[in-house]
Amino acid sequence: MWDGIYVRQGSSLYSEKNVIIEDANHAFVSQTIGTSYGGYIHVDSTLFNRCYTGIEIQPNTAAYPYSPLYLINSVFTCRNIAFDSINSNNLSVAQYSNNLLSYSAVNQKGHPYRSVNGVLSTDVNNLQVGQFNTALEGPNKFDNHFIGVNWIRTNGLINNNIFQKLLSPLPTVCLGCDNPPGDKGIGIKAVGNSANNGISVGYLPVSQNNSFYDVHTSVSIESYSTVMVAKSSINNTTTGPFGINQTGYGNRGIYVKPANTNHLVNIVYNTVRNCETGIH
């Protein structure tokens, strides 16, 4: 595996028009050095395969004037796909996205070639993962990862994404437990510790928001003072309870444990099917 591409303050990285990234520890990093914030990352029609972390946004405690990440039409997966060394001979990212389930999943027993985080961020203000559903700003897809979007004390919006098959395929771990070992099988995970932490999963005026299919826990949010989960579509092929050797699809739909004081939680217009616990 290789390390990744680091983008520092004042720099920008553009990845678009059917780029394929494989086997990186953290493929793209908006890197913080000292008191500076990281650079801007623009990703359109890019496929991340077998990357430990696809995109990492490092701490940015300053009030950023815009999201340090623009992400549309892209795929985060961990599958056995035979790419050609000449990129023009490969399919488009959209074509791979439409046919992901035809490729076998990588057995994620340890590192390397284990996809843990699609997008990881820590202490970031004003982050947006996914844009609004227009002809040009299509959805991102998170497939066969431990965690699709992993936010730590990060504020912002997660919108217009597809999460599917988010489970470790190993049969010897308890995938049906309430808290999967090592946080496996979570579509969106957000953990805050501040009265100022706010997150919106979905956006009310938009008809197409986030969708989840065959995900152990679709949305898990803890210790945020302001929470919105809106217009999510959640469905699974099987529903718990599960034994130790069974894959845990449909364990929890939406799990929210707000901050202890001064919190505001809105969970509205969501569709939840085939979950052992729909909303907790």
Side-chain angles (χ1 to χ4, degrees):
M1 297 187 78
W2 58 289
D3 190 21
I5 299 173
Y6 291 79
V7 189
R8 298 178 179 178
Q9 183 175 359
S11 301
S12 299
L13 183 150
Y14 282 76
S15 175
E16 53 189 9
K17 297 182 180 178
N18 300 312
V19 176
I20 296 170
I21 307 290
E22 283 195 297
D23 305 335
N25 281 319
H26 28 226
F28 299 158
V29 181
S30 177
Q31 185 184 24
T32 300
I33 298 178
T35 59
S36 68
Y37 51 81
Y40 174 71
I41 296 177
H42 178 111
V43 179
D44 180 2
S45 300
T46 298
L47 190 151
F48 300 84
N49 188 38
R50 302 196 310 256
C51 296
Y52 190 87
T53 294
I55 298 173
E56 178 181 351
I57 310 297
Q58 293 185 351
N60 164 29
T61 55
Y64 212 77
Y66 50 82
S67 174
L69 173 65
Y70 179 86
L71 177 63
I72 60 172
N73 300 315
S74 294
V75 175
F76 300 78
T77 188
C78 189
R79 294 188 177 271
N80 294 303
I81 305 174
F83 297 111
D84 195 287
S85 59
I86 301 175
N87 198 36
S88 60
N89 293 336
N90 292 311
L91 301 176
S92 69
V93 169
Q95 289 172 312
Y96 283 120
S97 178
N98 291 334
N99 295 282
L100 273 182
L101 299 183
S102 66
Y103 303 100
S104 63
V106 172
N107 188 325
Q108 301 196 53
K109 187 176 181 179
H111 190 38
Y113 309 129
R114 174 177 62 168
S115 293
V116 174
N117 305 292
V119 175
L120 170 66
S121 66
T122 305
D123 293 320
V124 178
N125 290 315
N126 197 28
L127 182 62
Q128 186 166 340
V129 177
Q131 299 294 315
F132 300 108
N133 189 26
T134 69
L136 296 178
E137 296 179 326
N140 305 295
K141 184 173 287 185
F142 297 85
D143 167 77
N144 194 35
H145 274 56
F146 287 178
I147 305 174
V149 176
N150 190 354
W151 279 14
I152 302 168
R153 298 179 302 275
T154 293
N155 303 319
L157 170 66
I158 301 171
N159 184 72
N160 198 19
N161 301 284
I162 299 169
F163 302 85
Q164 66 178 31
K165 305 294 183 182
L166 297 188
L167 284 175
S168 167
L170 295 176
T172 56
V173 296
C174 185
L175 298 179
C177 300
D178 280 345
N179 296 297
D183 289 330
K184 300 178 181 68
I186 303 176
I188 296 171
K189 179 184 178 184
V191 178
N193 69 355
S194 168
N196 297 320
N197 285 143
I199 182 172
S200 179
V201 177
Y203 186 66
L204 278 176
V206 181
S207 59
Q208 175 62 44
N209 283 291
N210 301 293
S211 64
F212 305 82
Y213 185 72
D214 281 352
V215 178
H216 181 279
T217 298
S218 294
V219 179
S220 177
I221 301 171
E222 296 187 35
S223 301
Y224 271 70
S225 59
T226 305
V227 177
M228 167 75 79
V229 183
K231 292 189 174 181
S232 297
S233 174
I234 299 171
N235 196 7
N236 299 281
T237 54
T238 59
T239 307
F242 307 101
I244 192 169
N245 291 322
Q246 294 174 284
T247 54
Y249 298 136
N251 186 274
R252 290 191 295 194
I254 299 170
Y255 172 79
V256 176
K257 182 180 179 181
N260 291 330
T261 59
N262 299 323
H263 59 263
L264 175 64
V265 176
N266 285 298
I267 301 175
V268 294
Y269 304 116
N270 300 284
T271 302
V272 182
R273 299 184 179 94
N274 292 338
C275 283
E276 184 177 12
T277 302
I279 300 175
H280 182 156

